[in-house]
Amino acid sequence: MAEIETGDLSAFADLDLGRTTRRGYPEAVYCAGKTPEQVGLIAAALSRVGHVTLFTKASKDHAAAVLAELPDAFHDRSAGLLAWPPEPPSSTGGPVVVLAAGTSDLPVAREAELTARYLGRETELVVDVGVAGLHRVLGRIELLRRARVVIVAAGMDGALPSVVAGLISAPVVAVPTSVGYGAAFDGLAALLAMLNACAPGVAVVNIDNGYGAGHLAAQISAQQ
């Protein structure tokens, strides 16, 4: 386990550098709620650590702070995610397919896909396959049936995970998004719909938690 100089970092963070050894996956840095200066100090501390580090829910200012310390870091603006080192590890385990019900769900779906990829899985992202046009997801059925795990990001009525889970044998990780009009309640309606899915084999993560979905899918699809 690498050692780092904490400096001012110790005033607000205690990095878990042993998580990879304990759990097989490194700690990620959740940027929301942190100042850019705090995120920059964390990035500087992690610059001497060899394992993959993900920075999630990163604003433009968070990203600038990370890139000032890790200029070669991968940055996906739409997902609000940065990864360092920039190249993902070689793929192992089974493939993970990620579905975005609508274009508005794409940032969360992309976060999930990139998380699974940087945790060592082969991934494929499929966009705009919501239940308003079922022919779109049915047209991808062969791809879905080849997946070890399928992640579904959906807002509005949150119905897509139930549909997908009724068509395939692989487990489905459902991600409710905060997309939708007033009665969607910023994703609460989709969350409750997914928790009440009548199709078995659906696991549900929190609203907009693409990172959690990607992490769970990477664990499920790990090589046995």
Side-chain angles (χ1 to χ4, degrees):
M1 182 176 68
E3 293 183 357
I4 60 175
E5 297 177 4
T6 56
D8 293 336
L9 186 68
S10 61
F12 61 87
D14 183 7
L15 300 182
D16 185 1
L17 300 178
R19 191 172 300 183
T20 303
T21 301
R22 293 197 319 276
R23 303 199 62 239
Y25 302 94
E27 181 180 25
V29 180
Y30 178 73
C31 296
K34 296 180 176 66
T35 67
E37 291 75 18
Q38 288 171 335
V39 172
L41 282 170
I42 292 171
L46 291 171
S47 65
R48 292 171 54 188
V49 179
H51 58 60
V52 170
T53 298
L54 298 179
F55 297 83
T56 67
K57 302 302 183 191
S59 68
K60 180 180 178 180
D61 290 339
H62 289 135
V66 171
L67 293 170
E69 301 294 340
L70 304 170
D72 60 338
F74 170 85
H75 180 207
D76 187 290
R77 292 174 179 80
S78 66
L81 182 142
L82 297 97
W84 187 86
E87 292 299 321
S90 299
S91 298
T92 60
V96 175
V97 174
V98 182
L99 303 182
T103 304
S104 297
D105 303 304
L106 192 52
V108 175
R110 181 71 170 151
E111 180 187 30
E113 185 218 357
L114 289 170
T115 297
R117 183 186 305 173
Y118 275 92
L119 294 182
R121 303 294 170 260
E122 174 190 348
T123 64
E124 184 163 346
L125 177 63
V126 179
V127 302
D128 204 16
V129 287
V131 296
L134 280 177
H135 61 284
R136 297 176 298 186
V137 72
L138 292 175
R140 303 288 189 146
I141 194 65
E142 294 306 317
L143 170 65
L144 297 178
R145 287 176 174 164
R146 291 196 299 270
R148 183 77 59 85
V149 184
V150 175
I151 298 172
V152 181
M156 298 270 185
D157 57 12
L160 186 59
S162 291
V163 172
V164 172
L167 295 171
I168 64 175
S169 60
V172 171
V173 179
V175 194
T177 72
S178 52
V179 171
Y181 296 104
F185 296 113
D186 294 324
L188 180 59
L191 172 65
L192 294 175
M194 292 174 183
L195 288 171
N196 285 285
C198 61
V202 178
V204 185
V205 300
N206 212 338
I207 298 167
D208 291 337
N209 189 8
Y211 168 77
H215 198 296
L216 179 57
Q219 290 181 279
I220 294 171
S221 61
Q223 189 69 50
Q224 300 296 323

